[in-house]
Amino acid sequence: MDLNEVIFVITKGFVNDERFNLISQMRRAADSVALNIAEGSTSQSNLEYKRFLNYSIRSIVEVVSALFIEKRRNYIEEEVFQSTYGQCEEPVKMIQSLKKKLTSK
């Protein structure tokens, strides 16, 4: 959820031309992280839950890819890029840890 808020704030400052492209895509990917975790938590099996956790990781990777695009287009400063990139690492680690726990059960 924290990553979601960061992405929302960052994309507020983008040019209007990106409203239906990069802004929309990035916000949807950030939303998808939390939404897939929530949906997977109601799964009937650990295998299915892990599948949704993998979707969440893929969404974080999509956010990271968008960050690189933003940086190349000079929409964000290096400091904002580095900070946000770092914030993408933590949920991946947490999700990977949860996946391992589900595997051991």
Side-chain angles (χ1 to χ4, degrees):
M1 298 295 283
D2 292 340
L3 177 61
N4 186 293
E5 288 302 312
V6 167
I7 298 307
F8 184 80
V9 170
I10 288 172
T11 56
K12 272 185 156 182
F14 287 8
V15 295
N16 241 4
D17 289 351
E18 292 292 356
R19 184 177 44 196
F20 300 113
N21 294 320
L22 190 58
I23 294 171
S24 175
Q25 185 70 27
M26 193 167 191
R27 286 181 178 178
R28 284 183 289 120
D31 287 347
S32 182
V33 175
L35 294 172
N36 277 307
I37 292 170
E39 186 174 356
S41 71
T42 64
S43 297
Q44 299 297 316
S45 69
N46 286 350
L47 186 61
E48 186 178 8
Y49 191 8
K50 286 171 41 179
R51 191 178 82 225
F52 280 94
L53 293 175
N54 284 331
Y55 296 154
S56 290
I57 291 172
R58 290 176 184 171
S59 293
I60 294 170
V61 171
E62 189 174 344
V63 169
V64 169
S65 296
L67 283 172
F68 277 97
I69 292 169
E70 294 169 14
K71 183 179 168 190
R72 288 185 71 138
R73 293 181 183 170
N74 295 315
Y75 293 159
I76 58 173
E77 300 292 325
E78 179 67 26
E79 183 179 302
V80 174
F81 170 82
Q82 291 296 333
S83 173
T84 309
Y85 184 86
Q87 288 178 335
C88 289
E89 292 177 327
E90 187 63 26
V92 170
K93 290 176 186 176
M94 293 169 68
I95 294 167
Q96 293 287 22
S97 177
L98 178 55
K99 282 176 50 183
K100 285 180 186 176
K101 287 183 181 185
L102 292 171
T103 301
S104 66
K105 288 186 176 184

